[in-house]
Amino acid sequence: MKRVVVAGRWDGGVPASPTGEALDAIRRGVVAGASQPTVLTVPFGTGPTFDEAVADLRSQASFVRVPTRASSSRDAGERVADLLRNGGTVIVEGGHNSSPDCGAGFLEGLLDVPGIDPRKPEAFADALTLAQSLVAEAGVDLVCAASTARPLLGLDSVLAVAPDLEPIEAQDTALTAALTQAFAHRPLGRHQLLDGADVHPARQRGSGAGGGVGAVIAAIGGRIASTGDLLLSLLGLEAIIDGVDLVIVAEPELASPVLAESTLDCVARVAATHALPVVAITHRSSLSHFEKAEWGLHGVFETEGSVTLEDAGRRVARTWLR
């Protein structure tokens, strides 16, 4: 009996469908196209898919998400403030927001105060100090699940590059200078052994997540982890994939800029450790043969909007599960 794992996401895909429903459609196709296979679906990705992925993990941690279209991260800060009472681990997921608020809204919600201005470094730094004390007293493990690797500050930051990867021409140098000052030497009490980008919270990889929520979390004693690596650990994907015959990955587009912040590489990396074939089902792909190999893909099936996901699953099964 063949065993198959169908993992990935379908947010923004064609046809439009929640990830769980899209993966289930592929599963039905695989069942129809192979001889009594065992098929397991695993939502695995950023944004709304992240919510689906962690839906059954509430006993392990508390989860908050900053929508990429949100112009303020205050709601996330308010939710984290409520969750601090419960202790344990609090995970905040965020990606590359189109309107970064530099984490100011998150601080406002966390501290229940209005109008924190990131252009006023002294006031912003005071807010960071209060937030660090609040988190320390609560004893929580505060984690930013970074669905973008971009920092808050720097030439490749969320303040310098738009989500479509176009450069942001109008740069607010006063804001950059104020943030550089406010985030310096954070979190308080840390022994800084190194100089460089990794020391400054706003220049860490992923610190731009949630519009700057990653930088704030790192500056108040929390930590940043990539969403893909975090899900690998939380879901136990290594154990799930062990012993299967085929891994099918759903990804709405295998093209830039969508693929730049995908978790596809995490799934492919785990599959590679078990020498398993990985086939992607996508609406559209612009990857060359070389790029497919770089992403760890052995095959790509494009629906192009004319093939249902169920039929795509059936065709993949007939090709790869003979």
Side-chain angles (χ1 to χ4, degrees), residues 10 99 111-112 122 132 157 160 163 193 201 249 257 268 299 303 307 310:
W10 201 252
S99 301
L111 299 174
D112 191 23
E122 293 82 4
Q132 182 176 343
S157 70
L193 303 178
V249 180
T303 66
V307 178
E310 185 169 343

mmCIF file of all heavy atoms in Angstrom, residues 10 99 111-112 122 132 157 160 163 193 201 249 257 268 299 303 307 310:
data_model
loop_
_atom_site.group_PDB
_atom_site.id
_atom_site.type_symbol
_atom_site.label_atom_id
_atom_site.label_comp_id
_atom_site.label_asym_id
_atom_site.label_seq_id
_atom_site.Cartn_x
_atom_site.Cartn_y
_atom_site.Cartn_z
ATOM 1 N N TRP A 10 -2.744 27.030 -0.101
ATOM 2 C CA TRP A 10 -3.452 27.423 -1.316
ATOM 3 C C TRP A 10 -4.060 28.817 -1.155
ATOM 4 O O TRP A 10 -4.964 29.189 -1.876
ATOM 5 C CB TRP A 10 -4.522 26.393 -1.671
ATOM 6 C CG TRP A 10 -4.914 26.450 -3.121
ATOM 7 C CD1 TRP A 10 -6.085 26.923 -3.645
ATOM 8 C CD2 TRP A 10 -4.134 26.030 -4.244
ATOM 9 N NE1 TRP A 10 -6.078 26.828 -5.018
ATOM 10 C CE2 TRP A 10 -4.880 26.281 -5.421
ATOM 11 C CE3 TRP A 10 -2.853 25.462 -4.382
ATOM 12 C CZ2 TRP A 10 -4.413 25.987 -6.691
ATOM 13 C CZ3 TRP A 10 -2.388 25.170 -5.646
ATOM 14 C CH2 TRP A 10 -3.151 25.421 -6.781
ATOM 15 N N SER A 99 2.055 47.974 4.605
ATOM 16 C CA SER A 99 2.099 49.251 5.339
ATOM 17 C C SER A 99 2.694 49.022 6.723
ATOM 18 O O SER A 99 1.967 48.972 7.726
ATOM 19 C CB SER A 99 0.690 49.856 5.466
ATOM 20 O OG SER A 99 0.118 50.081 4.202
ATOM 21 N N LEU A 111 0.788 47.404 25.748
ATOM 22 C CA LEU A 111 0.857 48.257 26.935
ATOM 23 C C LEU A 111 -0.449 48.995 27.217
ATOM 24 O O LEU A 111 -0.564 49.680 28.241
ATOM 25 C CB LEU A 111 1.980 49.282 26.767
ATOM 26 C CG LEU A 111 3.400 48.715 26.597
ATOM 27 C CD1 LEU A 111 4.382 49.832 26.284
ATOM 28 C CD2 LEU A 111 3.833 47.940 27.843
ATOM 29 N N ASP A 112 -1.410 48.889 26.282
ATOM 30 C CA ASP A 112 -2.699 49.576 26.405
ATOM 31 C C ASP A 112 -2.496 51.086 26.540
ATOM 32 O O ASP A 112 -3.010 51.731 27.462
ATOM 33 C CB ASP A 112 -3.502 49.031 27.590
ATOM 34 C CG ASP A 112 -4.953 49.525 27.585
ATOM 35 O OD1 ASP A 112 -5.435 49.891 26.493
ATOM 36 O OD2 ASP A 112 -5.585 49.551 28.659
ATOM 37 N N GLU A 122 13.227 58.366 22.091
ATOM 38 C CA GLU A 122 13.218 58.242 23.546
ATOM 39 C C GLU A 122 11.912 57.620 24.036
ATOM 40 O O GLU A 122 11.919 56.704 24.866
ATOM 41 C CB GLU A 122 13.423 59.610 24.204
ATOM 42 C CG GLU A 122 14.794 60.218 23.994
ATOM 43 C CD GLU A 122 14.924 60.933 22.654
ATOM 44 O OE1 GLU A 122 13.906 61.022 21.930
ATOM 45 O OE2 GLU A 122 16.036 61.386 22.331
ATOM 46 N N GLN A 132 9.337 45.003 27.899
ATOM 47 C CA GLN A 132 10.261 43.954 28.318
ATOM 48 C C GLN A 132 9.978 43.529 29.758
ATOM 49 O O GLN A 132 9.995 42.339 30.083
ATOM 50 C CB GLN A 132 11.709 44.424 28.184
ATOM 51 C CG GLN A 132 12.720 43.341 28.568
ATOM 52 C CD GLN A 132 14.155 43.772 28.344
ATOM 53 O OE1 GLN A 132 14.422 44.739 27.623
ATOM 54 N NE2 GLN A 132 15.088 43.051 28.948
ATOM 55 N N SER A 157 15.228 45.729 3.692
ATOM 56 C CA SER A 157 14.214 45.688 4.744
ATOM 57 C C SER A 157 12.812 45.918 4.199
ATOM 58 O O SER A 157 12.606 46.274 3.038
ATOM 59 C CB SER A 157 14.514 46.765 5.791
ATOM 60 O OG SER A 157 14.272 48.056 5.249
ATOM 61 N N ALA A 160 12.339 49.278 2.831
ATOM 62 C CA ALA A 160 13.043 49.621 1.595
ATOM 63 C C ALA A 160 12.530 48.852 0.380
ATOM 64 O O ALA A 160 12.729 49.287 -0.755
ATOM 65 C CB ALA A 160 14.540 49.344 1.765
ATOM 66 N N PRO A 163 6.248 44.435 -0.897
ATOM 67 C CA PRO A 163 5.949 43.006 -1.011
ATOM 68 C C PRO A 163 6.101 42.456 -2.428
ATOM 69 O O PRO A 163 6.387 41.271 -2.605
ATOM 70 C CB PRO A 163 4.493 42.912 -0.540
ATOM 71 C CG PRO A 163 4.347 44.047 0.421
ATOM 72 C CD PRO A 163 5.174 45.145 -0.167
ATOM 73 N N LEU A 193 28.157 40.328 22.817
ATOM 74 C CA LEU A 193 29.494 39.808 22.564
ATOM 75 C C LEU A 193 29.956 40.084 21.141
ATOM 76 O O LEU A 193 31.126 39.963 20.827
ATOM 77 C CB LEU A 193 29.505 38.297 22.809
ATOM 78 C CG LEU A 193 29.066 37.867 24.220
ATOM 79 C CD1 LEU A 193 29.082 36.339 24.311
ATOM 80 C CD2 LEU A 193 29.965 38.459 25.279
ATOM 81 N N PRO A 201 18.298 44.304 17.079
ATOM 82 C CA PRO A 201 17.033 43.589 16.849
ATOM 83 C C PRO A 201 16.342 43.945 15.545
ATOM 84 O O PRO A 201 15.715 43.091 14.924
ATOM 85 C CB PRO A 201 16.185 44.003 18.055
ATOM 86 C CG PRO A 201 17.157 44.401 19.102
ATOM 87 C CD PRO A 201 18.321 44.995 18.373
ATOM 88 N N VAL A 249 3.262 18.737 -2.831
ATOM 89 C CA VAL A 249 3.237 20.062 -2.216
ATOM 90 C C VAL A 249 2.314 20.968 -3.019
ATOM 91 O O VAL A 249 2.483 21.116 -4.235
ATOM 92 C CB VAL A 249 4.647 20.682 -2.151
ATOM 93 C CG1 VAL A 249 4.582 22.056 -1.501
ATOM 94 C CG2 VAL A 249 5.591 19.786 -1.380
ATOM 95 N N PRO A 257 6.802 37.249 -6.932
ATOM 96 C CA PRO A 257 7.405 37.280 -5.599
ATOM 97 C C PRO A 257 6.780 36.309 -4.606
ATOM 98 O O PRO A 257 7.224 36.203 -3.474
ATOM 99 C CB PRO A 257 7.133 38.719 -5.156
ATOM 100 C CG PRO A 257 5.799 39.024 -5.767
ATOM 101 C CD PRO A 257 5.784 38.322 -7.104
ATOM 102 N N ALA A 268 10.345 20.474 1.181
ATOM 103 C CA ALA A 268 11.252 19.791 0.257
ATOM 104 C C ALA A 268 12.526 19.341 0.959
ATOM 105 O O ALA A 268 13.063 18.267 0.665
ATOM 106 C CB ALA A 268 11.579 20.704 -0.916
ATOM 107 N N GLY A 299 8.977 17.115 -9.822
ATOM 108 C CA GLY A 299 7.942 17.289 -10.834
ATOM 109 C C GLY A 299 7.050 18.459 -10.479
ATOM 110 O O GLY A 299 6.925 18.821 -9.302
ATOM 111 N N THR A 303 -2.082 23.530 -13.031
ATOM 112 C CA THR A 303 -3.509 23.418 -13.349
ATOM 113 C C THR A 303 -3.941 24.471 -14.362
ATOM 114 O O THR A 303 -4.883 24.256 -15.125
ATOM 115 C CB THR A 303 -4.366 23.567 -12.091
ATOM 116 O OG1 THR A 303 -4.232 24.908 -11.579
ATOM 117 C CG2 THR A 303 -3.950 22.568 -11.012
ATOM 118 N N VAL A 307 -7.760 22.735 -14.912
ATOM 119 C CA VAL A 307 -7.788 21.399 -14.313
ATOM 120 C C VAL A 307 -8.129 21.537 -12.842
ATOM 121 O O VAL A 307 -7.539 22.369 -12.147
ATOM 122 C CB VAL A 307 -6.427 20.686 -14.476
ATOM 123 C CG1 VAL A 307 -6.458 19.312 -13.815
ATOM 124 C CG2 VAL A 307 -6.043 20.572 -15.941
ATOM 125 N N GLU A 310 -8.675 18.142 -7.736
ATOM 126 C CA GLU A 310 -8.917 16.701 -7.610
ATOM 127 C C GLU A 310 -8.357 15.947 -8.814
ATOM 128 O O GLU A 310 -7.699 14.909 -8.668
ATOM 129 C CB GLU A 310 -10.415 16.432 -7.464
ATOM 130 C CG GLU A 310 -10.728 14.961 -7.208
ATOM 131 C CD GLU A 310 -12.178 14.728 -6.804
ATOM 132 O OE1 GLU A 310 -12.851 15.705 -6.408
ATOM 133 O OE2 GLU A 310 -12.623 13.566 -6.879
#
